[in-house]
Coordinates of all heavy atoms in Angstrom, one line a residue:
I1 N 0.8 -1.1 0.0 CA 0.0 0.0 0.0 C 0.9 1.2 0.0 O 1.8 1.4 0.9 CB -1.0 0.0 1.2 CG1 -1.9 -1.1 1.1 CG2 -1.7 1.3 1.3 CD1 -2.8 -1.4 2.3
T2 N 0.7 2.1 -1.0 CA 1.5 3.3 -1.1 C 0.8 4.6 -0.6 O 1.4 5.6 -0.2 CB 2.0 3.5 -2.6 OG1 0.8 3.6 -3.4 CG2 2.8 2.5 -3.0
E3 N -0.5 4.4 -0.4 CA -1.3 5.6 0.0 C -2.7 5.1 0.5 O -3.3 4.3 -0.1 CB -1.4 6.7 -1.0 CG -2.2 7.9 -0.8 CD -2.4 8.9 -1.8 OE1 -2.8 8.5 -2.9 OE2 -2.1 10.0 -1.7
S4 N -3.2 5.7 1.5 CA -4.6 5.5 1.8 C -5.2 6.7 2.7 O -4.3 7.3 3.5 CB -4.8 4.2 2.7 OG -4.1 4.3 3.9
F5 N -6.4 7.0 2.6 CA -6.9 8.1 3.3 C -8.4 8.0 3.3 O -9.0 7.4 2.5 CB -6.4 9.5 2.9 CG -7.0 9.9 1.5 CD1 -8.1 10.6 1.4 CD2 -6.3 9.7 0.4 CE1 -8.7 11.1 0.2 CE2 -6.7 10.0 -0.9 CZ -8.0 10.8 -0.9
T6 N -9.0 8.8 4.3 CA -10.5 8.9 4.5 C -10.7 10.4 4.5 O -10.0 11.1 5.2 CB -11.0 8.2 5.7 OG1 -10.7 6.8 5.6 CG2 -12.5 8.4 5.9
A7 N -11.7 10.8 3.7 CA -12.0 12.2 3.8 C -13.6 12.3 4.1 O -14.3 11.6 3.4 CB -11.6 12.9 2.6
E8 N -14.1 13.2 4.9 CA -15.4 13.4 5.2 C -15.8 14.7 4.5 O -15.1 15.7 4.7 CB -15.8 13.5 6.7 CG -15.7 12.2 7.4 CD -16.2 12.2 8.7 OE1 -16.7 13.2 9.2 OE2 -15.9 11.2 9.5
Y9 N -16.9 14.7 3.8 CA -17.5 15.9 3.2 C -18.9 16.0 3.8 O -19.9 15.6 3.2 CB -17.6 15.8 1.6 CG -16.2 15.5 0.9 CD1 -15.8 14.2 0.8 CD2 -15.3 16.6 0.7 CE1 -14.5 14.0 0.2 CE2 -14.1 16.4 0.2 CZ -13.7 15.1 -0.1 OH -12.5 14.9 -0.7
K10 N -18.8 16.6 5.0 CA -20.1 16.6 5.8 C -21.2 17.4 5.1 O -22.3 17.1 5.2 CB -19.7 17.2 7.2 CG -18.9 16.1 8.0 CD -18.7 16.7 9.4 CE -17.9 15.8 10.1 NZ -17.6 16.2 11.5
A11 N -20.8 18.6 4.5 CA -21.8 19.5 3.9 C -22.5 18.8 2.7 O -23.7 19.0 2.5 CB -21.1 20.8 3.3
Q12 N -21.9 17.9 2.0 CA -22.4 17.1 1.0 C -23.0 15.8 1.4 O -23.6 15.1 0.6 CB -21.3 16.9 -0.2 CG -20.9 18.2 -0.8 CD -19.8 18.9 -0.1 OE1 -19.2 18.5 0.9 NE2 -19.6 20.1 -0.5
G13 N -22.6 15.4 2.6 CA -23.1 14.1 3.2 C -22.4 12.8 2.7 O -23.1 11.7 2.7
F14 N -21.2 12.9 2.3 CA -20.4 11.8 1.8 C -19.0 11.6 2.6 O -18.5 12.6 3.1 CB -20.1 12.0 0.4 CG -21.3 11.8 -0.5 CD1 -22.0 13.0 -1.0 CD2 -21.6 10.6 -1.0 CE1 -23.1 12.8 -1.7 CE2 -22.7 10.4 -1.7 CZ -23.5 11.5 -2.2
V15 N -18.6 10.5 2.6 CA -17.2 10.1 3.1 C -16.5 9.4 1.9 O -17.1 8.6 1.2 CB -17.3 9.0 4.2 CG1 -16.0 8.7 4.6 CG2 -18.1 9.6 5.3
Q16 N -15.3 9.8 1.7 CA -14.4 9.2 0.5 C -13.4 8.3 1.2 O -12.7 8.7 2.1 CB -13.8 10.2 -0.3 CG -13.0 9.6 -1.4 CD -12.3 10.9 -2.1 OE1 -12.6 12.0 -2.0 NE2 -11.3 10.4 -3.0
Y17 N -13.3 7.1 0.8 CA -12.2 6.1 1.2 C -11.3 5.8 0.0 O -11.9 5.5 -1.1 CB -12.8 4.9 1.6 CG -13.7 4.9 2.7 CD1 -15.2 5.0 2.5 CD2 -13.4 5.0 4.1 CE1 -16.1 5.1 3.6 CE2 -14.3 5.2 5.2 CZ -15.5 5.2 4.9 OH -16.6 5.4 5.9
T18 N -10.1 6.1 0.0 CA -9.1 5.9 -1.0 C -7.9 5.0 -0.7 O -7.5 5.3 0.4 CB -8.6 7.3 -1.6 OG1 -9.8 8.0 -2.0 CG2 -7.8 7.1 -2.7
I19 N -7.5 4.2 -1.6 CA -6.3 3.4 -1.2 C -5.6 3.3 -2.6 O -6.2 3.1 -3.7 CB -6.6 2.1 -0.7 CG1 -5.3 1.2 -0.3 CG2 -7.5 1.2 -1.6 CD1 -5.5 0.0 0.5
T20 N -4.3 3.3 -2.6 CA -3.4 3.1 -3.7 C -2.4 2.0 -3.3 O -1.9 2.0 -2.4 CB -2.8 4.3 -4.2 OG1 -3.7 5.3 -4.4 CG2 -1.8 4.2 -5.4
Y21 N -2.3 1.0 -4.3 CA -1.2 0.0 -4.1 C -0.6 -0.5 -5.3 O -1.1 -0.2 -6.4 CB -1.8 -1.2 -3.3 CG -2.8 -2.1 -4.0 CD1 -2.2 -3.2 -4.7 CD2 -4.2 -1.8 -4.2 CE1 -3.2 -3.9 -5.5 CE2 -5.0 -2.6 -4.9 CZ -4.5 -3.6 -5.5 OH -5.4 -4.5 -6.2
T22 N 0.6 -1.2 -5.3 CA 1.2 -1.7 -6.4 C 1.1 -3.2 -6.3 O 1.1 -3.8 -5.2 CB 2.7 -1.2 -6.6 OG1 3.4 -1.7 -5.3 CG2 2.8 0.3 -6.7
T23 N 1.2 -3.9 -7.5 CA 1.2 -5.3 -7.6 C 2.0 -5.9 -8.7 O 2.2 -5.0 -9.6 CB -0.3 -5.8 -7.7 OG1 -0.3 -7.3 -7.8 CG2 -1.0 -5.3 -9.0
T24 N 2.4 -7.0 -8.7 CA 3.1 -7.6 -9.8 C 2.3 -8.2 -10.9 O 2.8 -8.6 -11.9 CB 4.1 -8.8 -9.2 OG1 3.3 -9.7 -8.6 CG2 5.2 -8.2 -8.3
K25 N 1.0 -8.2 -10.6 CA 0.0 -8.7 -11.6 C -0.1 -7.9 -12.8 O 0.1 -6.6 -12.6 CB -1.3 -8.9 -11.0 CG -1.4 -10.0 -9.9 CD -2.9 -10.2 -9.4 CE -2.9 -11.3 -8.3 NZ -4.1 -11.5 -7.7
L26 N -0.4 -8.4 -14.0 CA -0.6 -7.5 -15.1 C -1.8 -6.7 -15.0 O -2.9 -7.0 -14.4 CB -0.7 -8.5 -16.3 CG 0.5 -9.4 -16.7 CD1 0.2 -10.3 -17.8 CD2 1.7 -8.6 -17.0
K27 N -1.7 -5.5 -15.8 CA -2.8 -4.6 -15.7 C -4.2 -5.2 -16.2 O -5.2 -5.0 -15.5 CB -2.4 -3.4 -16.7 CG -3.5 -2.3 -16.9 CD -3.1 -1.3 -17.9 CE -4.3 -0.4 -18.3 NZ -3.8 0.6 -19.3
G28 N -4.2 -5.8 -17.3 CA -5.4 -6.5 -17.7 C -6.0 -7.5 -16.7 O -7.2 -7.7 -16.5
E29 N -5.1 -8.3 -16.0 CA -5.5 -9.2 -15.1 C -6.3 -8.6 -13.8 O -7.3 -9.0 -13.4 CB -4.2 -10.0 -14.5 CG -4.6 -11.0 -13.6 CD -3.3 -11.7 -13.1 OE1 -2.2 -11.4 -13.6 OE2 -3.4 -12.6 -12.2
V30 N -5.5 -7.5 -13.4 CA -6.2 -6.7 -12.3 C -7.6 -6.1 -12.7 O -8.5 -6.2 -12.0 CB -5.2 -5.7 -11.7 CG1 -5.8 -4.8 -10.7 CG2 -3.9 -6.3 -11.2
W31 N -7.6 -5.5 -13.9 CA -8.8 -4.8 -14.4 C -9.9 -5.7 -14.4 O -11.0 -5.5 -13.9 CB -8.5 -4.2 -15.8 CG -9.5 -3.3 -16.1 CD1 -9.8 -1.9 -15.9 CD2 -10.7 -3.6 -17.0 NE1 -10.9 -1.5 -16.6 CE2 -11.5 -2.5 -17.2 CE3 -11.1 -4.9 -17.7 CZ2 -12.7 -2.5 -17.9 CZ3 -12.3 -4.9 -18.4 CH2 -13.1 -3.8 -18.5
N32 N -9.7 -6.9 -15.0 CA -10.7 -7.9 -15.1 C -11.2 -8.5 -13.8 O -12.3 -8.8 -13.6 CB -10.2 -9.2 -16.0 CG -10.2 -8.8 -17.4 OD1 -11.2 -8.3 -18.0 ND2 -9.2 -9.1 -18.2
M33 N -10.2 -8.6 -12.8 CA -10.6 -9.1 -11.5 C -11.6 -8.1 -10.8 O -12.5 -8.5 -10.3 CB -9.3 -9.2 -10.6 CG -9.4 -9.6 -9.2 SD -8.0 -9.6 -8.2 CE -7.7 -7.8 -8.1
Y34 N -11.3 -6.8 -10.8 CA -12.1 -5.9 -10.2 C -13.4 -5.7 -11.0 O -14.5 -5.5 -10.4 CB -11.5 -4.4 -10.2 CG -10.5 -4.3 -8.9 CD1 -9.1 -4.3 -9.1 CD2 -11.0 -4.4 -7.6 CE1 -8.3 -4.4 -8.0 CE2 -10.2 -4.4 -6.6 CZ -9.0 -4.4 -6.7 OH -8.1 -4.4 -5.6
K35 N -13.4 -5.9 -12.4 CA -14.7 -5.8 -13.2 C -15.6 -6.9 -12.7 O -16.8 -6.7 -12.5 CB -14.4 -5.9 -14.7 CG -15.7 -5.7 -15.4 CD -15.4 -5.8 -17.0 CE -16.8 -5.7 -17.7 NZ -16.6 -6.1 -19.0
T36 N -15.1 -8.0 -12.6 CA -15.8 -9.2 -12.1 C -16.4 -9.1 -10.7 O -17.5 -9.3 -10.4 CB -14.9 -10.6 -12.2 OG1 -14.5 -10.8 -13.5 CG2 -15.7 -11.8 -11.7
F37 N -15.6 -8.6 -9.9 CA -15.9 -8.3 -8.4 C -17.0 -7.3 -8.4 O -18.1 -7.6 -7.7 CB -14.7 -7.8 -7.6 CG -15.1 -7.1 -6.3 CD1 -15.5 -8.0 -5.3 CD2 -15.2 -5.8 -6.2 CE1 -15.9 -7.3 -4.0 CE2 -15.6 -5.2 -5.0 CZ -15.9 -5.9 -4.0
M38 N -16.9 -6.2 -9.1 CA -17.9 -5.1 -9.1 C -19.3 -5.6 -9.5 O -20.3 -5.3 -9.0 CB -17.5 -4.0 -9.9 CG -16.4 -3.2 -9.1 SD -15.7 -1.8 -10.2 CE -16.9 -0.6 -10.1
T39 N -19.3 -6.4 -10.6 CA -20.4 -7.0 -11.2 C -21.1 -8.0 -10.2 O -22.3 -8.1 -9.9 CB -20.2 -7.6 -12.5 OG1 -19.7 -6.8 -13.4 CG2 -21.5 -8.2 -13.1
K40 N -20.3 -8.7 -9.6 CA -20.7 -9.8 -8.7 C -21.4 -9.3 -7.5 O -22.4 -9.9 -7.0 CB -19.5 -10.7 -8.4 CG -19.9 -12.0 -7.5 CD -18.7 -12.9 -7.3 CE -19.0 -14.1 -6.7 NZ -17.9 -15.1 -6.5
V41 N -20.9 -8.2 -7.0 CA -21.5 -7.6 -5.7 C -22.6 -6.5 -6.0 O -22.9 -5.9 -5.0 CB -20.4 -7.0 -4.8 CG1 -19.4 -8.1 -4.3 CG2 -19.7 -5.9 -5.4
G42 N -22.9 -6.3 -7.2 CA -24.0 -5.5 -7.5 C -23.9 -4.1 -8.0 O -24.8 -3.4 -8.0
Y43 N -22.6 -3.8 -8.3 CA -22.4 -2.5 -8.8 C -22.9 -2.4 -10.3 O -22.7 -3.3 -11.1 CB -20.8 -2.1 -8.9 CG -20.5 -1.7 -7.5 CD1 -20.0 -2.5 -6.6 CD2 -20.5 -0.2 -7.2 CE1 -19.6 -2.1 -5.3 CE2 -20.1 0.2 -6.0 CZ -19.7 -0.8 -5.0 OH -19.3 -0.3 -3.8
T44 N -23.5 -1.3 -10.7 CA -23.8 -1.1 -12.1 C -22.7 -0.3 -12.7 O -22.4 0.9 -12.3 CB -25.2 -0.2 -12.2 OG1 -26.2 -1.0 -11.6 CG2 -25.5 0.0 -13.7
L45 N -22.1 -0.9 -13.7 CA -20.9 -0.2 -14.3 C -21.2 0.9 -15.3 O -22.2 0.6 -16.1 CB -19.9 -1.3 -15.0 CG -19.4 -2.3 -14.1 CD1 -18.6 -3.4 -14.9 CD2 -18.4 -1.6 -13.1
S46 N -20.7 2.0 -15.3 CA -20.9 3.1 -16.2 C -20.1 2.8 -17.5 O -19.0 2.4 -17.5 CB -20.4 4.4 -15.6 OG -20.2 5.4 -16.5
K47 N -20.9 3.0 -18.6 CA -20.2 2.8 -20.0 C -19.2 3.9 -20.2 O -18.2 3.5 -20.8 CB -21.3 2.8 -21.0 CG -22.3 1.7 -21.0 CD -23.3 1.7 -22.1 CE -24.2 0.5 -22.0 NZ -25.3 0.6 -23.0
D48 N -19.4 5.2 -19.7 CA -18.4 6.2 -20.0 C -17.3 6.0 -19.1 O -16.2 6.5 -19.5 CB -19.1 7.5 -19.7 CG -20.2 7.8 -20.7 OD1 -20.3 7.3 -21.8 OD2 -21.1 8.7 -20.3
G49 N -17.5 5.4 -17.9 CA -16.3 5.4 -16.9 C -15.6 4.1 -16.9 O -14.8 3.8 -16.1
T50 N -16.0 3.2 -17.8 CA -15.4 1.7 -17.8 C -14.7 1.6 -19.2 O -15.3 1.5 -20.2 CB -16.6 0.7 -17.6 OG1 -17.1 1.0 -16.4 CG2 -15.8 -0.6 -17.6
N51 N -13.3 1.5 -19.1 CA -12.6 1.4 -20.3 C -11.2 0.6 -19.9 O -10.4 1.0 -19.2 CB -12.1 2.8 -20.7 CG -11.4 2.8 -22.1 OD1 -10.5 2.1 -22.2 ND2 -11.9 3.6 -23.0
E52 N -11.2 -0.6 -20.6 CA -10.1 -1.5 -20.2 C -8.8 -0.9 -20.8 O -7.7 -1.1 -20.1 CB -10.3 -2.9 -20.9 CG -9.3 -3.9 -20.5 CD -9.6 -5.3 -21.0 OE1 -10.6 -5.5 -21.6 OE2 -8.8 -6.2 -20.5
V53 N -8.7 -0.3 -21.9 CA -7.5 0.3 -22.4 C -6.9 1.4 -21.5 O -5.9 1.3 -21.2 CB -7.7 0.9 -23.9 CG1 -6.4 1.6 -24.3 CG2 -8.1 -0.2 -24.8
Q54 N -7.9 2.2 -21.0 CA -7.4 3.2 -20.1 C -7.3 2.7 -18.7 O -6.7 3.3 -17.8 CB -8.5 4.4 -20.0 CG -8.5 5.2 -21.3 CD -9.6 6.2 -21.3 OE1 -10.4 6.3 -20.4 NE2 -9.5 7.0 -22.3
G55 N -7.8 1.5 -18.3 CA -7.7 0.9 -17.1 C -8.7 1.4 -16.1 O -8.4 1.3 -14.8
S56 N -9.7 2.0 -16.5 CA -10.7 2.7 -15.6 C -12.0 1.8 -15.4 O -12.5 1.1 -16.4 CB -11.1 4.0 -16.1 OG -11.7 3.9 -17.3
L57 N -12.5 1.8 -14.2 CA -13.8 1.2 -13.8 C -14.6 2.2 -13.0 O -14.0 2.8 -12.1 CB -13.6 -0.1 -13.1 CG -13.0 -1.3 -13.9 CD1 -12.5 -2.3 -12.9 CD2 -14.1 -2.0 -14.7
F58 N -15.8 2.3 -13.3 CA -16.7 3.3 -12.4 C -18.1 2.6 -12.3 O -18.6 2.2 -13.3 CB -16.8 4.6 -13.0 CG -17.7 5.6 -12.1 CD1 -17.2 6.2 -11.1 CD2 -19.0 5.8 -12.5 CE1 -18.0 7.0 -10.3 CE2 -19.9 6.5 -11.7 CZ -19.4 7.1 -10.5
G59 N -18.4 2.4 -11.1 CA -19.8 1.8 -10.9 C -20.5 2.5 -9.7 O -19.9 3.1 -8.8
K60 N -21.9 2.2 -9.7 CA -22.7 2.6 -8.7 C -23.5 1.5 -8.1 O -23.9 0.6 -8.8 CB -23.6 3.7 -9.1 CG -23.1 5.1 -9.4 CD -24.2 6.1 -9.7 CE -23.7 7.5 -9.7 NZ -24.8 8.4 -9.7
K61 N -23.6 1.6 -6.7 CA -24.5 0.6 -6.0 C -25.3 1.4 -5.1 O -24.7 1.9 -4.0 CB -23.6 -0.5 -5.4 CG -24.4 -1.5 -4.7 CD -23.4 -2.6 -4.0 CE -24.1 -3.7 -3.3 NZ -23.2 -4.6 -2.6
G62 N -26.6 1.6 -5.3 CA -27.3 2.4 -4.4 C -26.9 3.9 -4.4 O -26.7 4.4 -5.5
T63 N -26.4 4.4 -3.3 CA -25.9 5.8 -3.4 C -24.3 5.7 -3.3 O -23.7 6.8 -3.4 CB -26.4 6.5 -2.1 OG1 -26.0 5.9 -1.0 CG2 -27.9 6.8 -2.2
D64 N -23.7 4.6 -3.3 CA -22.3 4.5 -3.3 C -21.7 4.4 -4.6 O -22.3 3.9 -5.6 CB -21.8 3.2 -2.6 CG -22.2 3.1 -1.0 OD1 -22.6 4.2 -0.5 OD2 -22.2 2.1 -0.4
E65 N -20.5 5.1 -4.8 CA -19.8 5.1 -6.0 C -18.5 4.5 -5.8 O -17.8 4.8 -4.9 CB -19.7 6.5 -6.5 CG -21.0 7.2 -6.8 CD -20.9 8.7 -7.4 OE1 -19.8 9.1 -7.5 OE2 -21.9 9.2 -7.6
L66 N -18.1 3.6 -6.7 CA -16.7 3.0 -6.7 C -15.9 3.3 -8.0 O -16.5 3.0 -9.1 CB -16.8 1.5 -6.5 CG -15.6 0.6 -6.5 CD1 -14.6 1.1 -5.5 CD2 -15.9 -0.8 -6.4
S67 N -14.8 3.9 -7.9 CA -14.0 4.0 -9.0 C -12.6 3.4 -8.8 O -12.0 3.5 -7.8 CB -13.8 5.5 -9.4 OG -13.2 6.3 -8.2
I68 N -12.1 2.7 -9.9 CA -10.9 2.1 -9.9 C -10.1 2.5 -11.1 O -10.6 2.5 -12.2 CB -11.1 0.5 -9.8 CG1 -11.8 0.1 -8.5 CG2 -9.7 -0.2 -10.0 CD1 -12.2 -1.3 -8.4
L69 N -8.8 2.8 -10.9 CA -7.9 3.1 -12.0 C -6.6 2.2 -12.0 O -6.1 2.2 -10.9 CB -7.5 4.6 -12.1 CG -6.7 5.0 -13.2 CD1 -7.4 4.9 -14.5 CD2 -6.2 6.4 -13.0
V70 N -6.4 1.4 -13.0 CA -5.3 0.6 -13.0 C -4.4 1.0 -14.1 O -4.7 1.1 -15.3 CB -5.7 -1.0 -13.3 CG1 -4.5 -1.9 -13.3 CG2 -6.8 -1.4 -12.4
V71 N -3.1 1.3 -13.6 CA -2.1 1.9 -14.5 C -0.7 1.2 -14.5 O -0.5 0.6 -13.3 CB -2.0 3.4 -14.4 CG1 -3.2 4.2 -14.8 CG2 -1.4 3.7 -13.0
V72 N 0.0 1.3 -15.4 CA 1.3 0.8 -15.3 C 2.4 1.9 -15.1 O 2.3 2.9 -16.0 CB 1.9 -0.1 -16.6 CG1 3.3 -0.5 -16.5 CG2 0.9 -1.3 -16.8
Q73 N 3.1 2.0 -14.1 CA 4.2 3.0 -13.8 C 5.4 2.3 -13.4 O 5.5 1.4 -12.6 CB 3.7 3.9 -12.7 CG 2.4 4.7 -13.0 CD 1.9 5.5 -11.7 OE1 2.0 5.0 -10.6 NE2 1.4 6.6 -11.9
N74 N 6.5 2.7 -14.1 CA 7.9 2.2 -13.8 C 7.8 0.6 -13.7 O 8.3 0.0 -12.8 CB 8.3 2.7 -12.5 CG 8.4 4.2 -12.5 OD1 8.8 4.8 -13.5 ND2 8.1 4.8 -11.4
K75 N 7.2 0.0 -14.7 CA 7.0 -1.5 -14.9 C 6.4 -2.1 -13.7 O 6.5 -3.3 -13.6 CB 8.4 -2.0 -15.1 CG 9.2 -1.5 -16.3 CD 10.5 -2.1 -16.5 CE 11.3 -1.5 -17.7 NZ 12.6 -2.1 -17.9
Q76 N 5.6 -1.4 -13.0 CA 4.7 -2.0 -11.9 C 3.2 -1.6 -12.2 O 3.0 -0.5 -12.7 CB 5.1 -1.4 -10.6 CG 6.4 -1.9 -10.0 CD 6.5 -1.4 -8.5 OE1 6.0 -0.4 -8.2 NE2 7.2 -2.2 -7.8
T77 N 2.4 -2.4 -11.8 CA 0.9 -2.2 -12.0 C 0.5 -1.4 -10.7 O 0.7 -2.0 -9.5 CB 0.2 -3.5 -12.1 OG1 0.6 -4.1 -13.3 CG2 -1.3 -3.1 -12.3
T78 N -0.1 -0.3 -10.9 CA -0.5 0.6 -9.7 C -2.1 0.6 -9.8 O -2.6 1.0 -10.8 CB 0.0 2.0 -9.7 OG1 1.5 1.8 -9.6 CG2 -0.4 2.9 -8.6
V79 N -2.7 0.4 -8.6 CA -4.1 0.3 -8.5 C -4.6 1.5 -7.6 O -4.1 1.5 -6.5 CB -4.6 -1.0 -7.9 CG1 -6.2 -1.1 -8.0 CG2 -4.1 -2.1 -8.8
H80 N -5.5 2.4 -8.1 CA -6.1 3.4 -7.3 C -7.6 3.1 -7.2 O -8.3 2.9 -8.1 CB -6.0 4.9 -8.0 CG -4.7 5.1 -8.4 ND1 -3.7 5.8 -7.6 CD2 -4.0 4.9 -9.7 CE1 -2.6 6.0 -8.3 NE2 -2.7 5.5 -9.5
I81 N -8.0 3.0 -5.9 CA -9.4 2.6 -5.5 C -10.0 3.7 -4.7 O -9.3 4.2 -3.7 CB -9.6 1.4 -4.8 CG1 -8.8 0.2 -5.7 CG2 -11.0 0.9 -4.5 CD1 -8.7 -1.2 -4.9
S82 N -11.2 4.1 -5.1 CA -11.8 5.2 -4.4 C -13.3 4.8 -4.3 O -14.0 4.6 -5.2 CB -11.7 6.6 -5.1 OG -12.3 7.6 -4.2
V83 N -13.9 5.0 -3.0 CA -15.2 4.8 -2.7 C -15.8 6.1 -2.2 O -15.3 6.7 -1.2 CB -15.5 3.6 -1.7 CG1 -16.9 3.4 -1.4 CG2 -14.9 2.3 -2.3
L84 N -17.0 6.5 -2.7 CA -17.6 7.7 -2.4 C -18.9 7.1 -1.7 O -19.8 6.5 -2.4 CB -18.0 8.7 -3.3 CG -18.4 10.0 -2.9 CD1 -17.3 10.7 -2.2 CD2 -18.6 10.9 -4.2
Q85 N -19.1 7.2 -0.3 CA -20.2 6.5 0.4 C -21.1 7.7 1.1 O -20.5 8.6 1.7 CB -19.7 5.7 1.4 CG -20.7 4.6 2.1 CD -20.0 3.7 2.9 OE1 -19.3 4.1 3.9 NE2 -20.2 2.4 2.7
K86 N -22.4 7.5 0.9 CA -23.3 8.4 1.6 C -23.2 8.3 3.1 O -23.2 7.1 3.5 CB -24.6 8.3 1.1 CG -25.6 9.4 1.6 CD -27.0 9.4 0.9 CE -27.8 10.5 1.5 NZ -28.9 11.0 0.5
M87 N -23.2 9.4 3.9 CA -23.1 9.3 5.4 C -24.5 8.9 5.8 O -25.5 9.3 5.3 CB -22.6 10.5 5.9 CG -21.2 11.0 5.7 SD -20.8 12.6 6.2 CE -20.2 12.3 7.6
K88 N -24.5 8.1 7.0 CA -25.8 7.6 7.4 C -26.1 8.4 8.7 O -25.3 9.0 9.4 CB -25.7 6.1 7.8 CG -25.5 5.4 6.4 CD -25.5 4.0 6.7 CE -25.2 3.3 5.3 NZ -25.0 2.0 5.2

């Protein structure tokens, strides 16, 4: 894990959870793994925000939004995950 944080946006009623990590897995392998996961747990994937070439995934499940970006940097696969969750 190279970065993680939580940010509260009280005025908007949301909390953002973000994590970034590196892996030795290939970009396409990681992208497919997260696409399968998101579909399996009930996220509706956005056509505009889901692009395998760019490594992006964006989906909604109820009021929660999940965005994932998988990129190759310095010969390593880097994964950025961000969840925007409505505060209860």
Side-chain angles (χ1 to χ4, degrees):
I1 295 175
T2 57
E3 179 181 55
S4 70
F5 69 89
T6 301
E8 288 188 11
Y9 301 97
K10 291 182 182 181
Q12 294 81 11
F14 287 94
V15 178
Q16 178 182 353
Y17 304 95
T18 300
I19 186 168
T20 300
Y21 71 93
T22 58
T23 180
T24 57
K25 293 181 180 179
L26 298 174
K27 177 183 172 183
E29 181 182 359
V30 174
W31 189 88
N32 281 313
M33 176 186 72
Y34 279 111
K35 183 179 180 195
T36 300
F37 164 78
M38 290 174 74
T39 302
K40 188 175 185 178
V41 298
Y43 280 90
T44 300
L45 296 176
S46 161
K47 290 180 183 177
D48 293 337
T50 301
N51 185 308
E52 187 172 4
V53 173
Q54 294 177 354
S56 63
L57 290 160
F58 179 81
K60 285 187 169 190
K61 181 178 178 183
T63 58
D64 295 346
E65 298 178 0
L66 174 59
S67 61
I68 299 173
L69 181 62
V70 184
V71 296
V72 176
Q73 297 175 324
N74 301 320
K75 299 181 182 179
Q76 284 188 333
T77 301
T78 301
V79 183
H80 306 275
I81 302 171
S82 185
V83 176
L84 196 60
Q85 188 175 60
K86 187 168 182 154
M87 295 172 96
K88 297 177 181 176

